[in-house]
Amino acid sequence: MANNAMFLRMPAVVSRTGLSKATIYLLIAAGKFPKPVKISARASAWVHSEITRWERNCVDSSRGRSAV
C-alpha cells in the first residue's frame, strides 16, 4: 500500500462497484473482496488501490486473462 493511500467509504464502494452492501460483506467473508480498514474508532473504509485491483481482476477474469 502506498504511503498516500486514499480511502473510500461504503457509499463510494457501492457506487463504484455496483454491488449492494450485503453482497460486499458476503464477498469479504468469502475472501473475494478487499477488507476494510479502521480509520477511526467508529469508521471503516477501503483502500482505493485495493478496490481498483479487485476491479481489474474482475475484468481480467471475465476476459479469460489470468489475474495478477
Side-chain angles (χ1 to χ4, degrees), residues 4-67:
N4 59 351
M6 186 163 92
F7 295 113
L8 300 172
R9 298 294 305 273
M10 178 59 86
V13 175
V14 167
S15 176
R16 186 168 169 156
T17 64
L19 301 172
S20 69
K21 285 172 43 173
T23 299
I24 289 169
Y25 285 121
L26 286 171
L27 290 172
I28 291 168
K32 297 180 179 183
F33 195 84
K35 292 181 181 179
V37 296
K38 293 294 281 181
I39 58 172
S40 74
R42 298 180 62 192
S44 295
W46 282 260
V47 178
H48 183 274
S49 62
E50 292 178 0
I51 298 301
T52 300
R53 187 177 317 116
W54 177 85
E55 291 169 327
R56 193 169 37 246
N57 287 342
C58 286
V59 171
D60 288 346
S61 178
S62 74
R63 303 289 190 259
R65 298 182 292 231
S66 60

